[in-house]
Amino acid sequence: MKKKWKEYRNGWLLVVPLMMGCLLFYAIPFGMVLWYSLRSSAGRSGVFVGLTNYMEMMKNEMFRLACYNTVRFLLIGLPLILLLSYLIALLLKQQAERHMLLKSVLLFPYIMPIVGTVLLTEVMFGDVGVVNRILPLIGISAEKWLESTAAFWIVIGIYLWKNSGYSVILLLAGLMTIPEEQYAAASLDGAGGLRKFLYITTPQMWYSVFFTLLFSLINAFKCFREIFLIGGKHPNTEVYMLQHFMNNNFENLNYNKLSVAAVLLFLSVTIGIGIFYGWVRRKEAYRA
Amino acid sequence: MKKKEIVKKIGMISLLCGIILGTIGCGEIQKETEMKELVICTDEAYKDTVEALAEDWQKMKNGLDVEIISIPQDATLAEAKITELRTEIMSGAGPDVFIMGSNINTTDSDTSVLFSNPEKTMHSNLFLPLDDYIDNAQYMNLDNWNQKIMSAGKTEEGQMTLPIAYTYCAYAFYTADLENLSSAPNSWEELVQCSVPIVGKCLSNGALLWLSQTFGELADYENETLAFSEGELQKRMEEALTWYLESEGSEEDFNAMIASTQVKNVFWEQVSRASEEAKTIIAVPNDQNGVTAYVTLYAAINRNTENPDQAFSLLDFMFSDEVMTGAGFATEDPDIKYGNGNSFSYANGILTNVVAAQQSLRNQSTQGLYEEIESSINRVRYYSELDNTISKMYSDCLMDEQSSSSTEDAKKEIVKQAYNNMCMQLAE
């Protein structure tokens, strides 16, 4: 026991400051949020109300709309970005040595400042944007794209354009760790591209896919910044996300709704990620 | 090597202990400071007045030390300050007393205010109910306060805010210029159908500012719904726009106005200074045969304050008749009067304290006109994002109308979006 403690001691001592920081700035505040979500208001004037706030939140029309839009955005955006990034990563893997610059170029949209992205969107889809100037030339009337139902698909487009590069880099890093000999051996055995992908690439890429999914999820929530700058506090109902709901309730000092929304979001994301991680772990264990 | 390791470990543990103790210590010091101080949050425009009154209160009542937090007028600085305050309030702390202005700002609807919708905030368990404190007030005489205006600060829980000043939109003319106008229009329908050119020209031009005031009710905050339908909003916009575009009269008609738009002390001073000829004041009516007044300055106490008695004692002093009229409380020294000369008399509106409000009315005729308008007030509320949304909607429709590619569908779409926006604001 003493020997084990001696082994891990330095590691723990190095990690403790970070853990203290996480505890002080994340865990404890989140615990307070959880506590306040069970009370009528923050501070000494609040009384314990149990799950009343949660039940009222479920009846809140705007919360349900925000949840629906957020889930829809994730269910469409995440698979699309994984698919697109995977395709690009597979193509890049073959061409990586010949086109070293491509990897850097793919990251340009990711590092572009948000204001630049928003300006570009306005230039393309604004009332007097490029799209509205071209469409009348082919007989289609101009539309207020950013204030219509098309806003959702524009936001999906922004998300894919901005974040695919980052996902490509993550997936490419995973692809590069697969030994070439395995592909060579498979070729000798007569395996085609699809079989190599299904039986060599995919089983070894689960962890990379998981981490790419995780970062894509984080980037999906970050998309709120662009939507906020384009559509304001109350954008078109198609792009009214959970962050809009939380941001507006913060401005309205409605702490109950804000804390309940934060807790529910945390639980949903944790459960979702947890299920997927468990599935990946089982896949890896099966493979081992 | 062993010595080095020991030194490293001692260093790390000391650092950890220092961080923990420092965090706990800061919290304790802050708590102690908070107990000994009353924190007042106000707009920069009222900072000097509040500071002077707070100082006099301290001397007179031997009150707590006062810290004034003012929200800057500069938009960027205000945003940072407001975010800081919101974070404090949300964590259960924040200022003890709020003395906040409330104004419609049609040109910049992104202006940050601490309470963007005070009526909604009144229903959010943020403010302390004041009924018990008011009943035991030492100086404040609620009988001298306009009860109609005071009702704007009430919810089912009680008096949550104290409206200090209010306004409404009105236009003052010489009666002779109003060619056969038998009586001032009492409702929105009468106003838009008024055949007197000068009325149409002058009033329709200001619809951007006061269109939301033509609605008797804007919202039901209990049920979180709007008090009118999209169709009604569409109709109101069309009527206002048509009235503006078709109003006869000339640019010279504007010179005939004695005073106009938001009524405050300056308005009544202009009316009083005008010649002795008969005057008519047309207040912008609402659709419930009355006038909608808006609270422009109000006070409230944070529900989480640790010093509710001291907080109300300060408000009791500030809103006494002596201080509101500027007369002040006499002291042993005849040259010193607490609260003398410092009041909210130049607030952006008419003072809710009737005694103080009467001081700005110079003569009997003005008094008569004032009482006539006051009696027609049948709705009182606070400026909110809903008012800004309606103003912006009207402004966009006006711009569309004046553009070469104007269509009815475009205007309908603008109204629809504004309506959805307001529904979202309420439902959140």
Side-chain angles (χ1 to χ4, degrees):
Chain A
M1 182 80 170
K2 214 175 176 177
K3 204 178 175 188
K4 239 189 174 178
W5 164 240
K6 269 192 177 176
E7 253 179 70
Y8 296 134
R9 187 179 45 193
N10 287 339
W12 274 108
L13 285 172
L14 283 168
V15 160
V16 158
L18 178 63
M19 279 177 62
M20 289 300 296
C22 285
L23 198 68
L24 276 169
F25 297 111
Y26 287 99
I28 292 174
F30 187 75
M32 289 169 69
V33 164
L34 189 60
W35 177 236
Y36 287 147
S37 72
L38 302 171
R39 291 167 69 82
S40 59
S41 63
R44 55 199 287 272
S45 63
V47 292
F48 184 78
V49 293
L51 296 175
T52 311
N53 292 333
Y54 288 88
M55 279 155 47
E56 276 173 19
M57 185 64 99
M58 293 306 158
K59 295 180 211 164
N60 188 296
E61 198 187 309
M62 294 312 296
F63 177 71
R64 290 206 304 263
L65 174 68
C67 282
Y68 170 74
N69 284 338
T70 307
V71 168
R72 190 165 71 121
F73 181 78
L74 293 175
L75 286 179
I76 294 173
L78 288 178
L80 274 178
I81 202 171
L82 276 176
L83 193 66
L84 184 67
S85 310
Y86 218 143
L87 279 170
I88 297 173
L90 286 169
L91 281 169
L92 261 186
K93 189 184 170 210
Q94 291 166 15
Q95 308 295 331
E97 303 206 341
R98 269 190 280 166
H99 301 285
M100 297 292 285
L101 203 56
L102 262 178
K103 280 191 274 186
S104 310
V105 165
L106 280 170
L107 277 177
F108 282 179
Y110 187 74
I111 61 173
M112 190 179 195
I114 301 158
V115 172
T117 311
V118 168
L119 271 170
L120 185 63
T121 312
E122 292 277 348
V123 163
M124 292 295 295
F125 298 102
D127 291 348
V128 288
V130 170
V131 172
N132 273 342
R133 284 184 194 276
I134 292 174
L135 286 179
L137 299 174
I138 54 173
I140 303 171
S141 61
E143 290 275 345
K144 284 179 181 273
W145 300 105
L146 299 174
E147 291 164 26
S148 67
T149 52
F152 177 78
W153 298 104
I154 293 171
V155 168
I156 290 277
I158 293 172
Y159 170 63
L160 292 175
W161 171 76
K162 203 163 161 53
N163 299 292
S164 296
Y166 189 76
S167 303
V168 165
I169 301 298
L170 292 174
L171 288 169
L172 189 61
L175 286 171
M176 299 302 268
T177 60
I178 302 171
E180 279 302 318
E181 295 79 28
Q182 292 181 11
Y183 291 106
S187 297
L188 283 173
D189 289 338
L194 184 61
R195 292 180 89 89
K196 282 186 212 172
F197 175 76
L198 287 174
Y199 297 109
I200 298 175
T201 311
T202 306
Q204 296 182 77
M205 280 292 288
W206 283 119
Y207 269 126
S208 296
V209 168
F210 172 73
F211 281 106
T212 307
L213 183 76
L214 194 61
F215 282 101
S216 297
L217 181 67
I218 293 168
N219 290 330
F221 282 113
K222 281 187 190 172
C223 238
F224 162 73
R225 300 174 302 188
E226 282 85 357
I227 305 172
F228 181 80
L229 286 172
I230 293 167
K233 291 196 288 193
H234 298 100
N236 185 283
T237 49
E238 295 281 313
V239 291
Y240 181 80
M241 303 290 182
L242 213 46
Q243 291 103 312
H244 285 100
F245 180 83
M246 291 167 73
N247 189 59
N248 293 340
N249 276 292
F250 173 75
E251 288 196 5
N252 292 331
L253 296 163
N254 202 325
Y255 197 74
N256 295 346
K257 288 182 181 168
L258 178 59
S259 51
V260 168
V263 170
L264 290 175
L265 179 63
F266 168 76
L267 285 174
S268 316
V269 170
T270 306
I271 291 169
I273 295 288
I275 291 171
F276 188 59
Y277 184 63
W279 186 72
V280 167
R281 282 282 299 262
R282 250 188 293 128
K283 281 277 183 187
E284 285 291 313
Y286 184 68
R287 190 170 69 91
Chain B
M1 195 62 180
K2 249 193 175 175
K3 243 187 183 176
K4 265 191 184 174
E5 275 187 32
I6 294 167
V7 167
K8 262 194 213 169
K9 282 165 201 170
I10 292 171
M12 269 193 233
I13 292 167
S14 311
L15 182 66
L16 274 170
C17 292
I19 292 169
I20 292 167
L21 286 170
T23 317
I24 294 167
C26 284
E28 287 298 315
I29 290 166
Q30 198 179 11
K31 215 177 174 184
E32 275 177 36
T33 317
E34 277 169 4
M35 289 289 288
K36 290 183 179 167
E37 241 181 18
L38 199 68
V39 180
I40 306 173
C41 176
T42 186
D43 294 324
E44 200 173 346
Y46 301 109
K47 187 186 173 194
D48 293 338
T49 304
V50 170
E51 213 162 26
L53 288 174
E55 213 178 287
D56 282 350
W57 168 76
Q58 253 184 301
K59 289 178 200 165
M60 182 168 151
K61 300 291 289 176
N62 207 22
L64 291 175
D65 288 340
V66 170
E67 184 196 340
I68 313 277
I69 297 175
S70 68
I71 296 175
Q73 284 174 336
D74 177 78
T76 314
L77 296 172
E79 182 72 46
K81 194 70 195 170
I82 285 167
T83 305
E84 185 190 322
L85 285 167
R86 281 180 181 147
T87 311
E88 283 178 24
I89 293 168
M90 298 283 257
S91 64
D96 300 290
V97 176
F98 301 102
I99 298 176
M100 309 301 297
S102 173
N103 278 298
I104 193 162
N105 191 330
T106 54
T107 54
D108 182 6
S109 56
D110 292 328
T111 303
S112 253
V113 289
L114 182 57
F115 305 121
S116 58
N117 195 331
E119 270 177 278
K120 207 171 180 210
T121 309
M122 276 161 35
H123 289 87
S124 299
N125 290 330
L126 187 64
F127 297 142
L128 185 71
L130 299 173
D131 298 83
D132 291 338
Y133 296 95
I134 291 170
D135 290 341
N136 296 322
Q138 197 175 356
Y139 305 114
M140 237 180 99
N141 181 4
L142 222 59
D143 292 336
N144 288 339
W145 288 64
N146 188 324
Q147 294 306 313
K148 255 193 280 193
I149 307 300
M150 289 297 284
S151 66
K154 278 193 181 140
T155 65
E156 63 287 340
E157 225 183 320
Q159 189 81 35
M160 308 303 278
T161 62
L162 294 172
I164 304 166
Y166 65 99
T167 190
Y168 43 84
C169 275
Y171 295 77
F173 302 94
Y174 289 110
T175 308
D177 291 332
L178 294 179
E179 315 170 7
N180 305 323
L181 181 74
S182 51
S183 61
N186 280 331
S187 67
W188 169 250
E189 289 74 25
E190 279 181 31
L191 184 64
V192 295
Q193 285 163 16
C194 180
S195 55
V196 178
I198 195 175
V199 171
K201 189 70 185 175
C202 294
L203 269 73
S204 66
N205 216 51
L208 179 66
L209 180 68
W210 46 251
L211 188 61
S212 60
Q213 296 180 26
T214 64
F215 289 92
E217 297 288 352
L218 276 186
D220 175 357
Y221 289 100
E222 278 295 311
N223 297 316
E224 296 180 339
T225 53
L226 283 171
F228 50 86
S229 65
E230 188 181 328
E232 284 167 342
L233 183 65
Q234 178 77 35
K235 187 172 173 236
R236 186 65 49 88
M237 188 280 298
E238 282 169 0
E239 284 170 346
L241 207 53
T242 309
W243 187 40
Y244 170 72
L245 294 168
E246 294 178 359
S247 62
E248 295 161 3
S250 64
E251 294 297 318
E252 284 157 7
D253 289 337
F254 293 112
N255 298 332
M257 284 191 295
I258 303 168
S260 65
T261 56
Q262 286 188 306
V263 173
K264 38 193 169 184
N265 285 349
V266 167
F267 181 94
W268 292 113
E269 281 168 15
Q270 285 174 325
V271 172
S272 298
R273 274 201 298 269
S275 76
E276 292 300 320
E277 289 175 49
K279 303 177 195 75
T280 301
I281 295 183
I282 301 174
V284 172
N286 58 34
D287 52 17
Q288 294 180 1
N289 298 337
V291 170
T292 308
Y294 278 77
V295 175
T296 53
L297 181 65
Y298 61 95
I301 296 176
N302 189 338
R303 197 181 272 251
N304 290 321
T305 179
E306 308 234 342
N307 310 298
D309 295 322
Q310 290 282 310
F312 188 78
S313 169
L314 174 68
L315 293 184
D316 188 18
F317 169 81
M318 277 187 180
F319 305 136
S320 58
D321 290 348
E322 290 85 348
V323 173
M324 290 297 280
T325 55
F329 287 93
T331 64
E332 285 166 2
D333 186 337
D335 292 330
I336 297 175
K337 284 187 175 179
Y338 292 131
N340 174 33
N342 289 307
S343 71
F344 297 100
S345 53
Y346 288 96
N348 204 13
I350 307 164
L351 292 173
T352 313
N353 183 301
V354 175
V355 174
Q358 297 282 1
Q359 283 187 320
S360 60
L361 302 167
R362 310 268 165 133
N363 53 51
Q364 279 299 108
S365 63
T366 321
Q367 177 82 22
L369 292 166
Y370 166 78
E371 282 171 3
E372 199 182 315
I373 304 291
E374 290 291 315
S375 63
S376 60
I377 293 174
N378 62 355
R379 288 288 181 273
V380 189
R381 52 175 179 255
Y382 294 79
Y383 285 118
S384 69
E385 277 187 56
L386 298 177
D387 298 277
N388 276 332
T389 307
I390 292 174
S391 288
K392 190 173 181 304
M393 173 203 75
Y394 183 73
S395 169
D396 289 345
C397 288
L398 197 58
M399 275 169 53
D400 179 79
E401 182 65 32
Q402 290 166 346
S403 74
S404 52
S405 54
S406 161
T407 59
E408 285 311 306
D409 285 344
K411 284 195 261 305
K412 280 188 177 152
E413 191 56 38
I414 292 169
V415 172
K416 184 181 174 187
Q417 275 182 19
Y419 191 79
N420 286 341
N421 197 324
M422 287 190 282
C423 287
M424 285 163 80
Q425 286 172 31
L426 284 174
E428 276 172 344

